[in-house]
Amino acid sequence: MGLNNALDGKNAIVTGSGNGIGRAIAIRFAAEGAKVTVAEIEEDSGQETVEMITQAGGAAIFSKTDTTDSGSIKAAVGATIAAHGEVDRLVNNAAAFVFGKIEDVTEADWARVFGVNVIGYANCVREVLPSMRRQSGGAIVNIASVSSYIAQPEFIPYNASKGAVAQLTRCLAMDLSVDNIRVNAVCPGSIRTRATDRHIASLGLDPEESYLEFGQDSLMKRMGKPEEIASGALFLASDDASFMTGAHIVIDGGATID
Ligand SMILES: NC(=O)c1ccc[n+]([C@@H]2O[C@H](COP(=O)([O-])OP(=O)(O)OC[C@H]3O[C@@H](n4cnc5c(N)ncnc54)[C@H](O)[C@@H]3O)[C@@H](O)[C@H]2O)c1
């Protein structure tokens, strides 16, 4: 069913692919010929992504996964190998959204945001490594953020965790080059998803007004769509990016160029 068949013959695990950007990536990868494992903590949304893919003629399985629990990641890798074969591609996307001022963020909040956004990414890399090594290579795409490199008001825990994702990406690229595994990141700007809906609701703001306002930060005067992030993830996961590792692609409508 691929449009360009950029991922024909590849098996991919996409974490947090029951919603938003992860779902768009899973759908796009499948449309480009990948067999996809939807590794998502929520059963309902994860199964729904699988149905969307299979109804469109693609191949996908669901594996209930909590990226902070190595046992469940091992199970997702095992299910992938059983259904599709060795793991060729990993997209680390599942995230916790913890915002706030330094005095409002508890130690438990810090543990959660780093547990999912940083250690969760590292856990998934560790668990797919044996499979990628068995077939002498692979590619990993980490979903970082513009929050990896800019400061935003009252975003301290989230931005600190996304800054760590940028360094995780570079250091993994260095250490895994010997295994022929490329590691790159996509840095989205403001994208309309459930996470942004929830953030706006938590601030008590009007959703439509807020979306218009967030959109004004970009040179294109609109927010981005999950599918526009999926395009970047697809490129980095495809063999077209064969000479890229340790790099990041910013997809933010030009919001952070000045
Ligand atoms: N939406 C934006 O504006 C934006 C901007 C920059 C970066 N990002 C990044 O994009 C990625 C996706 O964000 P989104 O906006 O699509 O969020 P979302 O909340 O719509 O989707 C995140 C998904 O991850 C799942 N998830 C959460 N914790 C999990 C865990 N421990 N194990 C497995 N699954 C888990 C959730 O159930 C959900 O389905 C995140 O890494 C986020 O930081 C988003």
Side-chain angles (χ1 to χ4, degrees):
M1 67 178 282
L3 298 174
N4 301 308
N5 303 316
L7 294 178
D8 253 358
K10 305 284 193 252
N11 301 325
I13 296 178
V14 185
T15 71
S17 42
N19 287 282
I21 291 169
R23 171 177 279 179
I25 291 171
I27 290 173
R28 184 70 197 273
F29 276 28
E32 299 281 345
K35 291 181 177 151
V36 175
T37 299
V38 174
E40 163 63 55
I41 201 166
E42 295 176 355
E43 179 108 32
D44 290 358
S45 66
Q47 293 283 14
E48 200 176 75
T49 301
V50 169
E51 272 162 39
M52 292 166 86
I53 290 172
T54 50
Q55 274 172 17
I61 59 165
F62 171 68
S63 192
K64 187 172 167 62
T65 309
D66 177 349
T67 58
T68 66
D69 167 15
S70 294
S72 78
I73 306 166
K74 278 190 198 336
V77 171
T80 303
I81 293 170
H84 300 146
E86 301 286 6
V87 183
D88 303 287
R89 300 291 181 263
L90 166 70
V91 181
N92 274 317
N93 166 81
F97 299 88
V98 181
F99 304 105
K101 290 191 251 189
I102 191 70
E103 62 269 36
D104 298 333
V105 184
T106 65
E107 282 188 42
D109 291 330
W110 278 108
R112 186 161 72 88
V113 72
F114 272 74
V116 181
N117 298 8
V118 185
I119 302 171
Y121 280 26
N123 286 340
C124 292
V125 173
R126 189 183 60 243
E127 298 306 334
V128 301
L129 260 186
S131 181
M132 287 188 176
R133 281 182 173 143
R134 278 195 290 275
Q135 54 179 336
S136 308
I140 296 168
V141 179
N142 290 330
I143 305 304
S145 173
V146 293
S147 299
S148 298
Y149 59 90
I150 62 167
Q152 292 159 290
E154 299 179 19
F155 263 48
I156 288 175
Y158 179 77
N159 285 28
S161 75
K162 287 294 175 178
V165 170
Q167 278 299 63
L168 185 71
T169 303
R170 295 184 190 103
C171 294
L172 282 170
M174 183 169 277
D175 286 3
L176 300 185
S177 60
V178 66
D179 294 301
N180 191 33
I181 296 170
R182 297 184 298 102
V183 188
N184 292 289
V186 177
C187 296
S190 243
I191 311 299
R192 188 164 185 173
T193 65
R194 183 178 74 174
T196 29
D197 284 342
R198 285 180 173 173
H199 182 56
I200 286 166
S202 76
L203 297 173
L205 300 172
D206 177 74
E208 292 315 316
E209 264 177 38
S210 302
Y211 284 124
L212 283 175
E213 199 181 307
F214 290 177
Q216 291 308 306
D217 289 341
S218 90
L219 299 180
M220 292 166 186
K221 303 297 170 204
R222 65 171 176 85
M223 291 183 70
K225 299 179 207 135
E227 293 75 16
E228 292 173 313
I229 306 306
S231 302
L234 172 67
F235 171 65
L236 291 173
S238 78
D239 290 338
D240 280 348
S242 51
F243 198 50
M244 284 185 77
T245 197
H248 64 267
I249 294 181
V250 178
I251 306 178
D252 69 347
T256 59
I257 62 168
D258 57 0

